[in-house]
């Protein structure tokens, strides 16, 4: 009888060990799924924030890799000057800098994919800006304002070039 009890106890111990390994495996997978979901849900935050209409009014990032530049300014406290409350709140939340670092590669990939569109937008903005300059300084009063053009690094030849 003691031999059968010993074998039953051994089988019970093996079953408990197997069950424990299965539970650890399930918990490990659940943790990885949650971590992956967190990374996916926060990936590309800088790109999403910088590509909105309001960001074009207040942005200092230029035309290319705007998401990466936004993330860098957020991490380096150079977003809006000395009193940047967004960066301060990000660092006070403790999690935000790490999430921003995790989303930086995704922002880089998205910005690289959007490079052609960003270049096209830059060309359109430069055309509109040149039209504005020509209408303000070249066509005003029939004579180009040479002093104003020179202060912007342009010459009178800028007024002679007509582009659509």
């Amino acid at each position: 009888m003691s031999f059968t009890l010993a074998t039953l106890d051994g089988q019970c111990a093996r079953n408990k060990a197997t069950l424990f390994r299965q539970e650890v495996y399930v918990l490990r997978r659940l943790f990885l799924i949650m971590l992956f979901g967190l990374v996916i849900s926060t990936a590309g935050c800088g790109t999403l924030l910088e590509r909105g209409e309001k960001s074009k009014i207040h942005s200092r990032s230029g035309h290319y890799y705007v998401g990466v530049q936004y993330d860098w300014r957020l991490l380096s406290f150079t977003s809006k000057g000395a009193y940047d409350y967004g960066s301060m709140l990000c660092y006070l939340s403790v999690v935000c800098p790490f999430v921003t670092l995790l989303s930086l590669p995704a922002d880089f990939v998205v910005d690289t994919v959007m490079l052609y569109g960003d270049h096209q937008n830059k060309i359109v903005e430069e055309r509109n800006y040149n039209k504005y300059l020509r209408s303000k300084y070249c066509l005003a009063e029939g004579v180009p304002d040479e002093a104003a053009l020179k202060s912007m690094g342009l010459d009178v030849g800028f007024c002679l070039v007509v582009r659509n």
Side-chain angles (χ1 to χ4, degrees):
M1 180 115 171
S2 65
F3 179 73
T4 58
L5 286 176
T7 56
L8 287 176
D9 286 340
Q11 287 177 351
C12 185
R14 280 193 297 268
N15 289 342
K16 285 183 181 178
T18 305
L19 184 62
F20 179 73
R21 273 189 255 126
Q22 288 175 348
E23 288 176 358
V24 168
Y25 177 74
V26 167
L27 288 175
R28 187 179 302 155
R29 291 206 51 181
L30 183 64
F31 175 74
L32 289 174
I33 288 171
M34 288 175 49
L35 182 66
F36 183 72
L38 176 71
V39 169
I40 291 298
S41 66
T42 59
C45 290
T47 299
L48 293 175
L49 289 172
E50 277 297 301
R51 291 192 185 276
E53 284 298 320
K54 287 190 176 185
S55 68
K56 292 179 182 176
I57 299 169
H58 304 291
S59 180
R60 299 184 303 144
S61 62
H63 296 282
Y64 304 114
Y65 289 96
V66 292
V68 174
Q69 290 178 21
Y70 176 82
D71 289 342
W72 181 252
R73 284 193 317 267
L74 183 70
L75 292 173
S76 63
F77 285 105
T78 57
S79 293
K80 296 177 186 168
Y83 299 107
D84 181 20
Y85 299 114
S87 293
M88 288 180 197
L89 290 174
C90 178
Y91 274 95
L92 286 176
S93 72
V94 179
V95 177
C96 180
F98 297 110
V99 170
T100 304
L101 282 174
L102 283 175
S103 75
L104 199 59
D107 287 330
F108 180 77
V109 169
V110 171
D111 287 340
T112 302
V113 169
M114 297 294 295
L115 208 54
Y116 179 75
D118 290 341
H119 183 67
Q120 296 300 320
N121 290 338
K122 178 184 177 189
I123 290 171
V124 168
E125 287 179 20
E126 284 179 353
R127 283 182 185 162
N128 291 338
Y129 183 64
N130 286 341
K131 284 181 186 178
Y132 165 76
L133 289 178
R134 284 189 182 93
S135 67
K136 184 168 183 172
Y137 297 111
C138 297
L139 302 176
E141 302 166 6
V143 178
D145 187 2
E146 292 183 36
L149 288 171
K150 189 167 277 203
S151 69
M152 289 183 283
L154 301 170
D155 60 351
V156 181
F158 174 75
C159 295
L160 300 176
V161 177
V162 178
R163 292 184 186 158
N164 291 329

